[in-house]
Amino acid sequence: MIPRTRATAVAVAASALALLAGCSLPDGPAGVVVARAERTPPATATRPYFLTVRTADGDRKDFQVYIDDYDRCAIGERYPACTKS
């Protein structure tokens, strides 16, 4: 079993490498933002940010977003429309 701090460091490093490699995150499903989460302290531009939306069929979906989309989309707003502002 990997210690939690080491696993966290690996996750952060993987996210940073994906950003540097030009990989983009897949778009999340359309819906209303019902929750926001920052999952890996300390705050950096490369740490994972997540939104949770409730889709038209009532499902809740969590997905990772870039910090800009995280900052633009408040709870109650429609995703992905909120990312276009």
Side-chain angles (χ1 to χ4, degrees):
M1 180 172 192
I2 299 174
R4 177 165 270 177
T5 55
R6 185 171 179 195
T8 299
V10 169
V12 170
S15 294
L17 286 175
L19 290 173
L20 292 174
C23 297
S24 61
L25 296 172
D27 291 334
V32 176
V33 177
V34 294
R36 300 165 19 119
E38 305 167 31
R39 296 210 178 132
T40 311
T44 66
T46 58
R47 87 189 219 197
Y49 292 86
F50 294 86
L51 294 177
T52 302
V53 297
R54 183 166 313 278
T55 61
D57 59 4
D59 290 340
R60 287 174 62 106
K61 302 289 184 182
D62 296 323
F63 54 96
Q64 187 172 351
V65 295
Y66 291 110
I67 189 170
D68 293 338
D69 291 345
Y70 179 86
D71 287 341
R72 289 182 186 122
C73 296
I75 292 174
E77 292 189 279
R78 297 203 55 79
Y79 180 88
C82 58
T83 65
K84 309 296 188 237
S85 56

